């Protein structure tokens, strides 16, 4: 049972966790990766890696199909925002021409998650608390107060996201940030919720984790919690959204309300925290592929702390790899 993880980049932990899950379940199979860089760090930890074209190349999906057929891939796991729509819109085509399932939500779900305004509308329509949206009329009529927060409509990894403290900064960042969306800035405890959903949209695990420290939008230190109110809100959200696979939801606890900000329909960079705490998404995926029916559970450790760090791979001039 071979699994293909695409755009593998720096996700060394994710490769290792899929290998651990495979070995724990005594499954015969490989973890195959691919990337458009032939020096992607995580590629040196997979069982086999392929160098592929860029995601925006029209040949990308056909290259993925070729890999799937060469390696008898059972599951494709996309990992970065920019490839989600491509996999979602080509899901039927890929599955028709391979023996692989694609771990991706429907196009409508991906569209909601990838467009910050549509995410905001989804939250609002389904009665979830959100930071107030500041539109052009609000700006023209001065119907807002500082600080504000600006981000790209289709952004990721906290790139081009800024806190705005005054009118001078507002005027600058409206021009600087591509296709911006502006909301009120809210202070409070930040949470990411790791959610695993089966192929029929049933939640299997929901793990809130408090973000203690972050860098470039990715958690550096986080701790798992079991907040009943937050877990129940996420269950309702999944019922309305109907995603597939491992997703992450971001929110801030402000004035005793969880205000929701983003949904990422993929493995987040901090997903290993919840996996190691006991909500093992890779192991669950193997079980689903084996035909096992999974039930919702909260069998993860509360108060499980992760403190993450960087590591390097060194490649000598003769090609030898030192990990």
């Amino acid at each position: 049972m071979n699994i293909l993880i695409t755009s593998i980049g720096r996700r060394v932990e994710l490769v290792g966790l899929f290998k651990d899950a495979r070995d724990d379940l005594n499954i015969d199979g490989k973890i195959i990766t691919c990337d458009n860089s032939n020096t992607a760090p995580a590629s040196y930890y997979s069982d086999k890696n392929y160098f592929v074209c860029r995601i925006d190349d029209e040949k990308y999906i056909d290259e993925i199909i070729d890999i799937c057929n060469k390696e008898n891939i059972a599951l494709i796991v996309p990992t970065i925002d920019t490839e989600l729509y491509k996999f979602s819109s080509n899901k039927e085509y890929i599955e028709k021409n391979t023996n692989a399932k694609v771990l991706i939500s429907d196009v409508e779900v991906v569209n909601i998650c990838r467009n910050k305004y549509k995410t905001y509308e989804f939250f609002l329509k389904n009665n979830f608390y959100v930071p107030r949206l500041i539109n052009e009329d609000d700006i023209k009529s001065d119907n807002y107060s500082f600080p504000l927060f600006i981000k790209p409509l289709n952004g990721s990894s906290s790139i081009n996201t800024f806190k705005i403290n005054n009118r001078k900064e507002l005027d600058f960042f409206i021009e600087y940030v591509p296709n911006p969306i502006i909301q009120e800035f809210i202070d409070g405890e930040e949470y990411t919720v790791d959610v695993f959903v089966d192929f029929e949209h049933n939640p299997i695990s929901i793990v809130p984790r408090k973000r203690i420290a972050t860098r470039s939008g990715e958690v550096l230190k986080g701790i798992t919690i079991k907040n009943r109110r937050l877990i129940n809100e996420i269950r309702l959200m999944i019922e309305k959204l109907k995603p597939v696979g491992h997703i992450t939801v971001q929110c801030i606890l402000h004035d005793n309300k969880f205000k929701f900000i983003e949904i990422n329909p993929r493995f987040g960079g901090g997903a290993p925290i919840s996996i190691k705490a006991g909500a093992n998404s890779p192991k669950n995926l193997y079980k689903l592929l084996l035909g096992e029916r999974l039930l919702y559970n909260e069998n993860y450790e509360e108060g499980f702390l992760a403190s993450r760090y960087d590591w390097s791979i060194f490649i000598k001039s003769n090609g030898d790899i030192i990990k």
Side-chain angles (χ1 to χ4, degrees):
M1 188 181 292
N2 298 332
I3 289 180
L4 173 64
I5 308 177
T6 64
S7 300
I8 193 60
R10 300 171 63 247
R11 293 176 179 269
V12 174
E13 285 179 290
L14 189 62
V15 171
L17 289 166
F18 268 95
K19 283 186 172 183
D20 291 344
R22 173 199 63 191
D23 296 343
D24 288 348
L25 294 170
N26 198 28
I27 290 172
D28 183 21
K30 297 178 180 178
I31 306 302
I32 311 294
T33 58
C34 68
D35 201 275
N36 73 341
S37 168
N38 56 12
T39 57
S43 67
Y44 297 102
Y45 286 84
S46 62
D47 296 310
K48 189 173 184 179
N49 182 71
Y50 283 84
F51 176 72
V52 294
C53 63
R54 288 174 52 89
I55 295 163
D56 55 7
D57 193 305
E58 61 181 17
K59 300 189 299 294
Y60 181 72
I61 292 299
D62 288 331
E63 288 192 8
I64 295 298
I65 288 174
D66 286 343
I67 296 170
C68 289
N69 290 328
K70 286 178 183 176
E71 301 293 342
N72 192 24
I73 298 296
L75 181 72
I76 302 169
V77 182
T79 65
I80 62 171
D81 291 330
T82 50
E83 66 183 349
L84 298 180
Y85 181 79
K86 193 146 195 174
F87 274 109
S88 185
S89 58
N90 286 281
K91 180 179 180 179
E92 185 176 343
Y93 174 68
I94 295 169
E95 294 184 345
K96 182 180 178 181
N97 288 279
T98 69
N99 293 320
K101 293 180 71 68
V102 185
L103 190 69
I104 193 69
S105 299
D106 293 340
V107 171
E108 295 78 10
V109 175
V110 172
N111 280 337
I112 288 171
C113 299
R114 288 290 295 126
N115 182 300
K116 299 298 191 294
Y117 182 72
K118 289 182 179 179
T119 307
Y120 170 83
E121 285 187 320
F122 167 80
F123 288 143
L124 210 59
K125 176 183 176 182
N126 291 288
N127 300 312
F128 296 102
Y129 291 110
V130 289
R132 178 193 164 202
L133 184 71
I134 310 299
N135 58 35
E136 289 185 15
D137 290 338
D138 292 325
I139 293 173
K140 289 177 181 177
S141 61
D142 289 329
N143 183 25
Y144 62 88
S145 58
F146 293 108
L148 302 174
F149 191 77
I150 190 168
K151 56 188 176 182
L153 195 68
N154 303 105
S156 63
S157 302
S158 293
I159 297 171
N160 286 328
T161 65
F162 302 97
K163 180 181 179 182
I164 299 174
N165 299 291
N166 53 56
R167 182 67 199 217
K168 184 177 181 181
E169 292 180 358
L170 176 60
D171 292 339
F172 172 79
F173 283 117
I174 284 179
E175 296 297 324
Y176 180 80
V177 176
N179 205 8
I181 180 172
I182 302 171
Q183 291 177 286
E184 65 173 332
F185 179 88
I186 55 174
D187 281 316
E189 292 180 344
E190 294 186 38
Y191 292 88
T192 295
V193 186
D194 285 312
V195 187
F196 182 76
V197 185
D198 68 16
F199 293 104
E200 284 72 46
H201 319 296
N202 302 304
I204 305 303
S205 62
I206 299 174
V207 185
R209 46 183 171 84
K210 183 178 176 182
R211 292 157 67 96
I212 299 172
T214 60
R215 182 180 65 188
S216 300
E218 190 166 306
V219 64
L220 288 179
K221 297 178 183 178
I223 188 168
T224 60
I225 65 168
K226 290 188 178 180
N227 183 292
R228 182 54 45 201
R229 180 158 59 99
L230 180 53
I231 290 172
N232 288 343
E233 288 196 50
I234 296 295
R235 291 200 71 165
L236 178 60
M237 188 181 299
I238 297 306
E239 183 181 317
K240 301 289 185 181
L241 185 64
K242 300 188 184 307
V244 166
H246 191 115
I247 72 167
T248 58
V249 182
Q250 294 184 1
C251 62
I252 297 176
L253 182 60
H254 178 79
D255 289 341
N256 202 33
K257 299 182 181 72
F258 288 104
K259 293 195 173 183
F260 291 92
I261 300 170
E262 292 187 5
I263 308 171
N264 298 308
R266 56 171 175 78
F267 279 94
I273 301 172
S274 298
I275 294 169
K276 294 294 283 186
N280 198 317
S281 300
K283 191 173 286 188
N284 286 335
L285 282 167
Y286 276 116
K287 289 179 179 180
L288 290 174
L289 292 173
L290 290 169
E292 187 173 334
R293 182 171 177 266
L294 303 179
L295 300 176
Y296 176 77
N297 69 86
E298 295 177 10
N299 299 330
Y300 67 91
E301 182 180 339
E302 185 175 20
F304 187 86
L305 174 68
S307 185
R308 307 175 73 207
Y309 65 98
D310 291 328
W311 193 250
S312 300
I313 292 174
F314 304 94
I315 305 171
K316 299 176 71 173
S317 59
N318 63 3
D320 289 346
I321 298 168
I322 304 172
K323 296 181 181 179

